[in-house]
C-alpha cells in the first residue's frame, strides 16, 4: 500500500494554522502539534478536511481543554493523538468514532474515562499515562463483557493490547 502523506502544521503560529486550513482537504494524516490550536479553531477543522479520507489526527501539546463534537464527523479516523492538551474530559461521544484503533491521551487532566469507551471494538492502543484518573469506566455501563482474565481491565475494550495507565491515582 502507498505510504501515508503527513500534512504537518506543528510548531506554527495560530495565524499560520488558520491560513493553511484550506490545504487540509484530501489529507489522510494531519499533525497540528504545539501550534496554539484552540477548541474553537478545532471546531472549524471538520469544515476543511475530507471527512472520509482523514485517518490520523495528532493535536498534541495544544491548549484545547475539550474536544468539539464536530470531530464525530471524522468517520474513518483510526488514530487520535491529543496528549498534553489540558483536556479535563474525554467526551461520551468518542464511541461514535467506531474506527478508532489508537487514542493517545498522555499528560492531560482527565479524572475519568467515559463508560462508552468499552464499545470501541477496534481500539488496541490506549495511552492515558500521567493523568488524574482515579478509576476506570464501570463495566456495567457497557452491557455484557467479553474480556478474559489476561485481557484489559473490565470497562475497557476487550480489543486493547496494552492499556498504558501509569502515572494516575487508580484505586481499583
Amino acid at each position: 500500500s502507498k505510504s501515508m502523506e503527513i500534512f504537518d502544521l506543528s510548531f506554527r503560529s495560530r495565524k499560520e494554522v488558520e491560513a493553511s486550513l484550506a490545504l487540509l482537504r484530501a489529507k489522510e494524516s494531519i499533525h497540528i502539534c504545539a501550534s496554539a490550536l484552540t477548541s474553537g479553531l478545532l471546531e472549524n477543522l471538520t469544515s476543511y478536511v475530507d471527512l472520509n479520507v482523514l485517518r490520523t489526527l495528532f493535536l498534541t501539546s495544544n491548549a484545547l481543554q475539550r474536544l468539539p463534537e464536530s470531530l464525530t464527523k471524522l468517520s474513518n479516523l483510526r488514530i487520535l493523538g491529543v496528549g498534553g492538551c489540558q483536556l479535563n474530559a474525554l467526551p461520551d461521544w468518542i464511541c461514535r468514532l467506531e474506527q478508532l484503533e489508537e487514542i493517545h491521551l498522555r499528560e492531560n487532566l482527565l479524572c475519568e474515562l467515559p463508560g462508552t469507551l468499552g464499545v470501541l471494538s477496534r481500539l488496541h492502543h490506549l495511552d492515558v499515562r500521567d493523568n488524574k484518573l482515579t478509576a476506570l469506566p464501570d463495566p456495567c455501563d457497557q452491557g455484557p463483557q467479553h474480556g478474559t482474565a489476561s485481557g484489559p481491565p473490565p470497562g475497557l475494550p476487550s480489543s486493547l493490547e496494552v492499556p498504558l495507565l501509569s502515572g494516575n491515582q487508580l484505586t481499583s
Side-chain angles (χ1 to χ4, degrees), residues 17-132:
V17 170
E18 286 175 344
S20 302
L21 286 177
L23 304 174
L24 299 179
R25 179 113 12 243
K27 299 293 187 255
E28 277 187 53
S29 183
I30 297 172
H31 293 207
I32 310 177
C33 305
S35 297
L37 187 67
T38 60
S39 297
L41 187 54
L42 183 56
E43 189 94 49
N44 297 329
L45 185 73
T46 52
S47 346
Y48 292 95
V49 301
D50 189 325
L51 303 176
N52 296 314
V53 171
L54 189 65
R55 302 280 187 274
T56 306
L57 182 60
F58 274 98
L59 306 168
T60 312
S61 301
N62 284 294
L64 294 178
Q65 283 146 3
R66 64 179 188 82
L67 294 175
E69 194 165 354
S70 59
L71 292 183
T72 57
K73 296 175 187 166
L74 304 174
S75 55
N76 284 311
L77 196 66
R78 305 281 197 277
I79 300 172
L80 177 62
V82 284
C85 285
Q86 301 169 22
L87 295 175
N88 47 32
L90 186 62
D92 281 339
W93 55 251
I94 197 79
C95 67
R96 287 166 34 203
L97 294 172
E98 294 173 10
Q99 303 298 319
L100 272 180
E101 297 170 6
E102 298 180 22
I103 307 177
H104 302 266
L105 290 158
R106 189 174 188 175
E107 293 176 359
N108 277 292
L109 305 170
L110 301 175
C111 296
E112 60 180 11
L113 295 172
T116 56
L117 201 59
V119 304
L120 291 173
S121 60
R122 295 169 179 261
L123 193 69
H124 62 80
H125 180 92
L126 175 67
D127 185 351
V128 290
R129 288 174 291 177
D130 305 313
N131 275 280
K132 299 179 179 313

Side-chain angles (χ1 to χ4, degrees), residues 1-20:
S1 69
K2 65 182 178 67
S3 65
M4 190 184 303
E5 178 196 344
I6 295 172
F7 190 74
D8 198 338
L9 288 174
S10 300
F11 305 102
R12 305 285 174 88
S13 71
R14 187 174 167 183
K15 270 195 165 31
E16 286 177 287
V17 170
E18 286 175 344
S20 302

Side-chain angles (χ1 to χ4, degrees), residues 92 113-117 119 136-145 155:
D92 281 339
L113 295 172
T116 56
L117 201 59
V119 304
L136 294 175
D138 186 343
C140 299
D141 295 346
Q142 300 159 18
Q145 290 294 299

